[in-house]
Amino acid sequence: MGYYYDPYDPFYRRPLLDGETVKWLLVLAAVGVYLFFCLPLLFLALFQFTAVAVPVLMAGGAGWAIIRTIMLLAGRRPVPLFTPDREAARSARRRQRRPYLTVDPAWPSYWVGQVFIDQWEAVRWVVRDLLSLMRLTGRLLDVTNRKKLLLLWPLFAIFGAIGIGIGMTLGVVLAVAANLLATMVMLLLGVVTTGLLRLYERLRQLRLRAAASCPACYHVSRLPAYRCPGTHPQGGNLHRALRPGRLGLLRRTCACGTALPVTRGRASQQLAALCQLCGHPLHRGAAAITDVRIPVFGATSSGKTQLLTSALVGLTALSGTRDTVVELVDRDSERTYRQSVQIVDGTAAVHKTSTDWVPFATTLLLRHRGRDALLHLFDAAGENLTDPNKNAGYGYLDFARTLVFVLDPFAIPEVGEQLSSFPEIERQANASRHDAEDSYNGTVNRLRRYGVATERQRIAFVLTKGDLLAKLPVGVGIEPGHDDPAAVRRWLVDRQMENLLLTAERDFAEVRYFCINAKDTGRQGALAPIGWLLRRERIALT
């Protein structure tokens, strides 16, 4: 070992290298030898690890992220739900721009709400796994451990963590991209399917001439409200927009969990329909089968009630003949039918329609060879029909495609003068004292005032009390019950009624004239004008 002399003390010799220095020199020499021989091998291993293991770890990380997403979508992890309340809140924001939108208590379709919550929760789940990996890598990178630092082990941890992290990130990106693509495709298919289903429903309604008409408030709509049969302790069981859409294409799940059909045909058979305006129950089949509304108008004592009474009994008598079924669909119609039977049998008299009575539809369900139809018959007091203040509330006139105008022949001046010579016939006739043209114009002017296109409607011009008219000399040349509209028109023209006839023919698209015995319930009687109007609605009476 070498020594050196201290210049301040020539007699003291110190060693050139002390023990501590030698120790560190040996350590440095060992590290140098380790690096000289092992570093190339280490970097070669890291290169192999980077080239082979890192891609494998990336693929594993991506697979792990995708598996996590699939597990969440499969329900292996609880997630918040896109509830009907959240859908209602979102719809409320849309209603600020479009107030006419309705909010039904139903679960929205998966692809319009829940899919975004699921994807967000899947991303959060993978991010939590990635943070756990980062914490684990931080523990592996503990530089206070000299052995790990000496062996350069943290390099493997860093590259491994980076590979797995990149893979998980790519997996999340791929899962989100795939989910967004699937969502866009499903939403596009949903929009197209919704449009096609709604178009089919509308075309079917137009072909069948179907609608939902309320017998109470006379409101007519293409889509009624439907009541869910499930349990709703807090109410909210009414669906006002039950049709294909964001709440379901083929079926809808109510907030109570009940599955509801969204097509009108199935909904009308399975659910209770209500009027959108007043909430009155509608008849089964509303908005799904042909809907025919026939208002009868005319002067007081012209025979309107007798005509409807006989027609109601005659229509019901057709049930069971030649594949025809006629049913009374509600209690009010059944009560009206019982009263009509008594009138036809002669056990009860026809009472004048009260001016205080609000017209309520008498409704029948007609079934003939697979074709169903709801027939609504309306009657009102003649005084109210000519009073603009009262007939303003008769909204059923606005939605009718067919009408019946009843003319009392004894209200014609020439016939009335001759009637006074036959007291017995005069007593039976109970002639109307109101002007025929005034009774006609009172209702038709009301239609025009409310914007009804009468030129698209058809009208049956009915001359009643034909059995009594035939007993008078003036009745020669006209035969009640005989299907000869031209003869009836000629007879009316000869009685100076041409002005009324020309007015009716100008106002309406089609006019047909009848002369009947209103007490006759057969096809040549009260059923003649009703049958003609039904045939124009593509409903044949056998």
Side-chain angles (χ1 to χ4, degrees), residues 288-301:
I289 61 177
T290 304
D291 193 86
V292 183
R293 297 165 293 279
I294 303 181
V296 179
F297 69 102
T300 305
S301 301

Side-chain angles (χ1 to χ4, degrees), residues 66 92 126 257 283 321 378 390 412 441 444 447 492 502 505 518 540:
I66 295 174
V126 175
H283 305 108
T321 62
F378 294 90
K390 293 185 177 181
I412 301 174
N441 291 327
V444 175
L447 294 174
L492 290 170
L502 293 176
E505 293 168 357

Side-chain angles (χ1 to χ4, degrees), residues 178 305 312 465:
T305 303
L312 180 59
K465 306 177 184 178

